Every structure is written in structure tokens, then in C-alpha cells.
């Protein structure tokens, strides 16, 4: 059975488009296009259900009109409105140097100096000039700089990212 560790969130399904089963897909990561995915997982009633992509077309930089196999009516498409869409981690590019922002959610953040796990990346904060990891720790959320200079290693298979954390940052 597929679990949330096997996938990562890439977007959400919106309103149906037309009457033949198309649905608006708002995405944070366009990996489904760059990796030519055959299917995506949709969270339905707490279960990850695979849906094969019949076709899609972009309506903007962050929205695609998606047609899934077996979804052929307005009513069927409406039943998927609001559902989260996930991409399988094992279909993502195997190049450890390229990781999408969405794919990093759930990775363990490791302190390069001590080798210890600081916490789990739960989001990326891009509201300032500097990109920050939002890391869930035992002491609450911590913001850790996500600059290329500080990232020492990314291990997609172990789902870890090793970062040279500036001295004193974890004590704040």
C-alpha cells in the first residue's frame, strides 16, 4: 500500500471545467509535465488513489485543466473538487542535485556540523528575499536558511538534506 512517505504534495483540484470531466488543477510543482507522468495520486477519504492522466493543458503558469481516465462527467469531476494531488517520489528525477521545492516537504534536515537530525521540513518560506526551510522540531518550528551555499548534501533516497546551520541559530 502506498503511504504519504512514498509521495509528495504537488497541488489541489479545483472546480470542474466543462461537462466532460475536465477539472482545474492548481499546482505548486509542474513535475507531472517535466517528467511525463502517467498517473498522479489523489487523496480521497484518507486514501491515496492513483488516477491515470488522459490529457491536460495549461490555462496559466500555476493551473492546468486535467482530464483523468474514467472521469467523464461534470458530476464525477465535482466529486474530486478540493482533493489534494500527490506525485510518486520514485518517479521524480534521480539526480540528487535537483529537488523541487514541493519534493522537500517531509525530508529530514541534518546539521552538517553535528550530524544530528534537527527536524522535518514541513514547508518553504519564500515571503522574504531569502528562502527559508520551515522545520518542525521538538521545540516548535524553526526557520533555517535554504541558500545553496549552506546546503551540503541532498539524499533523495534517505529523504535527508544536510545543511551547514549558522552558529547559534538553533538556540534562538
Amino acid at each position: 500500500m502506498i503511504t504519504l512517505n512514498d509521495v509528495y504534495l504537488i497541488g489541489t483540484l479545483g472546480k470542474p471545467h466543462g461537462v466532460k470531466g475536465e477539472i482545474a488543477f492548481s499546482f505548486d510543482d509542474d513535475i507531472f509535465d517535466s517528467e511525463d507522468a502517467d498517473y498522479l495520486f489523489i487523496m480521497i477519504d484518507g486514501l491515496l488513489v492513483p488516477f491515470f492522466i488522459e490529457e491536460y493543458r495549461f490555462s496559466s503558469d500555476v493551473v492546468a485543466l486535467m482530464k483523468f481516465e474514467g472521469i467523464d462527467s461534470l458530476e464525477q469531476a465535482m466529486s474530486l473538487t478540493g482533493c489534494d494531488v500527490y506525485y510518486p517520489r520514485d518517479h521524480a528525477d534521480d539526480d540528487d542535485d535537483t529537488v523541487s521545492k514541493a519534493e522537500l516537504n517531509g525530508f529530514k534536515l541534518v546539521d552538517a556540523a553535528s550530524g544530528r537530525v534537527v527536524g522535518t521540513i514541513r514547508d518553504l518560506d519564500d515571503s522574504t528575499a531569502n528562502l527559508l526551510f520551515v522545520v518542525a522540531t521538538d521545540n516548535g518550528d524553526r526557520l533555517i536558511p535554504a541558500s545553496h551555499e549552506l546546503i551540503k548534501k541532498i539524499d533523495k533516497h534517505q529523504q535527508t538534506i544536510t545543511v551547514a546551520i549558522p552558529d547559534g541559530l538553533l538556540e534562538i
Side-chain angles (χ1 to χ4, degrees):
M1 183 167 148
I2 192 112
T3 68
L4 284 174
N5 290 332
D6 302 320
V7 296
Y8 63 96
L9 182 66
I10 61 168
T12 305
L13 295 175
K15 295 179 180 180
H17 182 81
V19 295
K20 297 195 179 194
E22 266 189 330
I23 189 165
F25 170 42
S26 299
F27 56 89
D28 299 319
D29 189 330
D30 67 353
I31 192 165
F32 67 94
D33 183 51
S34 61
E35 293 293 321
D36 291 325
D38 293 329
Y39 61 92
L40 299 172
F41 287 96
I42 299 175
M43 181 68 77
I44 300 175
D45 296 329
L47 296 173
L48 290 166
V49 180
F51 279 82
F52 284 87
I53 300 169
E54 191 171 301
E55 63 183 13
Y56 62 88
R57 56 193 161 92
F58 291 98
S59 65
S60 75
D61 289 345
V62 294
V63 176
L65 299 176
M66 190 70 69
K67 174 70 175 76
F68 294 106
E69 289 181 11
I71 304 298
D72 299 314
S73 69
L74 173 66
E75 293 76 19
Q76 289 173 317
M78 283 179 58
S79 71
L80 298 176
T81 296
C83 291
D84 288 334
V85 179
Y86 295 81
Y87 191 80
R89 287 188 188 274
D90 64 353
H91 282 67
D93 186 357
D94 283 335
D95 181 6
D96 278 343
D97 292 334
T98 58
V99 180
S100 69
K101 289 179 8 178
E103 189 177 2
L104 284 174
N105 286 338
F107 272 45
K108 301 290 184 205
L109 189 121
V110 177
D111 179 18
S114 69
R116 73 176 181 91
V117 173
V118 173
T120 303
I121 297 172
R122 67 169 194 82
D123 202 0
L124 282 131
D125 182 341
D126 60 0
S127 63
T128 64
N130 299 314
L131 185 65
L132 301 168
F133 293 119
V134 179
V135 181
T137 72
D138 292 338
N139 299 321
D141 285 352
R142 297 285 186 248
L143 297 175
I144 307 294
S147 77
H148 292 286
E149 295 81 31
L150 298 177
I151 296 172
K152 300 304 177 192
K153 181 180 178 188
I154 299 172
D155 186 332
K156 290 172 102 174
H157 299 290
Q158 296 296 317
Q159 294 184 9
T160 61
I161 184 164
T162 304
V163 177
I165 299 171
D167 290 337
L169 188 62
L170 294 176
E171 285 76 40
I172 296 176

